[in-house]
Amino acid sequence: MKRVLIAGANSYIGTQLAVWLSHTPDQFTVQTVSVRGDVCKTIDFSAFDTVVLVAGIAHQKETPQNEALYDTVNHKLAVLVAQTAKAAGVKQLIFFSSMSVYGLTTGHITQTTQPTPDTAYGRSKLAAEKALALLLSDSFRIAVLRPPMIYGPGCRGNYPRLSALVQKLPLFPRVVNQRSMLYIDTLCDFLQTLITQQAGGLYFPQNHDYVATCELAKQIALAHGKHIRQIRGFGWLLTLLSRRGGTIGKVFGSLTYDQAMSNAYRPAQEPAFAETIRVTEAG
């Protein structure tokens, strides 16, 4: 029986993971807490084997005024939780970092690609990773995840924005690109194994197959019973513009992890991509 504390109440990943693990109550007990306030003083961390830290600030417009807040929440608070957990005898900490630590809008990431974050969010996550590495020991293992875009029913961030756009448009540009994505059930399956093994390390979970934005748009439209016409002729322009980054780069550019980076604890089977979109759009 693994005792799991999910630090980050109301987070999308935390909520979904709690539901997933509750399906096997003979293997896991789960408690979810908010990290606001004095959680490190009010929670008895010694009652848990694993702490999953999903709390953080994301999907907000960055300004000079809130840059310090990113560091406070995504970096310093993460270290405080880890220090408290280690002192209490917790065996494993799972920390959610991000693909954003690479500072790339387009590109292909391999094991040799070095992180060079260019946003407050990415910098705060990488700073947390470096600080957490100093807490590693034989009795306190830290697993760091750098997932790509996560999607599933009720997800937040860029996916619901794209979905809303596709549902309104009768036409959509046909651009053959590749994106690493991660379905929430695939992530939860991965996490279940990671917690069971009480493992540490750096991980890059993703779907088995890359996704083209035009195929994603097609499946979203089909999930709503509509046909979206995909027009050719603009691919070269959008591909060129995507290299400059920004919204066009995030939607139409290619950004992938090398698949070999994601073999650890990979689920043997994954649901078909079309089915994951149907379930996501059904909510």
Side-chain angles (χ1 to χ4, degrees):
M1 174 73 73
K2 292 293 186 291
R3 302 163 300 169
V4 181
L5 177 67
I6 299 175
N10 301 318
S11 74
Y12 177 66
I13 296 171
T15 301
Q16 295 295 318
L17 178 61
V19 172
W20 182 275
L21 296 180
S22 71
H23 294 154
T24 50
D26 58 322
Q27 299 179 40
F28 303 95
T29 61
V30 182
Q31 182 177 341
T32 302
V33 296
S34 171
V35 295
R36 295 179 181 178
D38 294 329
V39 64
C40 292
K41 297 179 181 179
T42 58
I43 293 295
D44 180 11
F45 281 76
S46 67
F48 301 96
D49 302 299
T50 295
V51 173
V52 182
L53 184 53
V54 290
I57 297 177
H59 309 310
Q60 294 186 15
K61 181 178 177 60
E62 294 188 9
T63 66
Q65 290 73 31
N66 67 17
E67 183 166 358
L69 183 61
Y70 276 92
D71 187 68
T72 296
V73 176
N74 293 347
H75 167 207
K76 294 177 181 176
L77 181 59
V79 174
L80 177 60
V81 171
Q83 290 172 333
T84 305
K86 181 178 181 179
V90 172
K91 300 179 181 67
Q92 180 192 42
L93 175 82
I94 297 176
F95 174 68
F96 271 82
S97 186
S98 170
M99 199 180 200
S100 296
V101 300
Y102 292 101
L104 297 173
T105 302
T106 61
H108 182 64
I109 298 168
T110 69
Q111 289 282 9
T112 61
T113 305
Q114 295 301 307
T116 53
D118 61 353
T119 62
Y121 175 70
R123 288 189 292 270
S124 66
K125 287 293 188 179
L126 185 60
E129 287 188 27
K130 292 179 178 179
L132 291 175
L134 301 177
L135 298 175
L136 285 168
S137 70
D138 292 340
S139 59
F140 186 59
R141 298 174 180 175
I142 298 177
V144 174
L145 277 63
R146 294 178 182 169
M149 184 175 75
I150 297 167
Y151 68 102
C155 64
R156 303 162 189 170
N158 291 327
Y159 179 95
R161 297 188 187 103
L162 177 62
S163 176
L165 182 64
V166 169
Q167 292 176 57
K168 294 176 182 177
L169 295 177
L171 305 173
F172 196 84
R174 180 171 178 79
V175 178
V176 181
N177 64 339
Q178 292 184 321
R179 308 287 299 187
S180 286
M181 293 178 63
L182 178 58
Y183 182 49
I184 187 63
D185 283 6
T186 301
L187 171 60
C188 288
D189 195 338
F190 167 87
L191 287 169
Q192 178 175 334
T193 304
L194 188 63
I195 293 169
T196 300
Q197 297 294 326
Q198 295 279 275
L202 181 60
Y203 299 96
F204 310 87
Q206 64 176 323
N207 291 352
H208 268 103
D209 298 316
Y210 301 134
V211 178
T213 302
C214 59
E215 178 63 20
L216 175 57
K218 173 185 174 182
Q219 294 302 330
I220 290 173
L222 289 174
H224 292 277
K226 63 175 289 188
H227 174 74
I228 189 168
R229 183 184 174 192
Q230 297 192 347
I231 53 176
R232 301 176 183 271
F234 294 94
W236 66 272
L237 177 60
L238 291 172
T239 299
L240 179 63
L241 293 175
S242 70
R243 295 171 184 168
R244 301 182 181 181
T247 301
I248 291 179
K250 291 179 180 179
V251 175
F252 296 106
S254 291
L255 182 60
T256 54
Y257 279 127
D258 190 288
Q259 287 289 347
M261 298 169 67
S262 305
N263 288 333
Y265 303 123
R266 195 167 211 168
Q269 294 184 340
E270 295 178 6
F273 176 68
E275 177 63 12
T276 68
I277 299 302
R278 187 193 67 77
V279 173
T280 298
E281 293 300 316

